[in-house]
Amino acid sequence: MPNLPEDIVDRIKNLERQVRQLTAYVNTRAAAPARAQDPAAEESGARPAGPDPSDRP
């Protein structure tokens, strides 16, 4: 990058590094569940709201 002060170049490099780190973090976290399970729901046997797949004809 011609004619840019060194501190600006360093800041751009740091931002690029942070973007790479965040991209890697998001890509590795994508396989995890979207939300944590509620321990109380597991103990009580409660099911999430929505249609029951066993009710299909």
Side-chain angles (χ1 to χ4, degrees):
M1 289 181 235
N3 301 326
L4 287 177
E6 192 64 31
D7 63 324
I8 299 294
V9 173
D10 290 339
R11 290 178 71 183
I12 291 171
K13 287 179 182 179
N14 285 336
L15 287 171
E16 289 173 338
R17 180 181 46 80
Q18 289 176 344
V19 167
R20 282 193 304 273
Q21 289 175 339
L22 287 171
T23 302
Y25 175 77
V26 168
N27 287 335
T28 57
R29 296 293 295 170
R35 59 187 170 140
Q37 292 291 331
D38 182 11
E42 289 178 8
E43 292 173 7
S44 67
R47 294 188 327 203
D52 186 357
S54 63
D55 288 342
R56 292 184 181 167

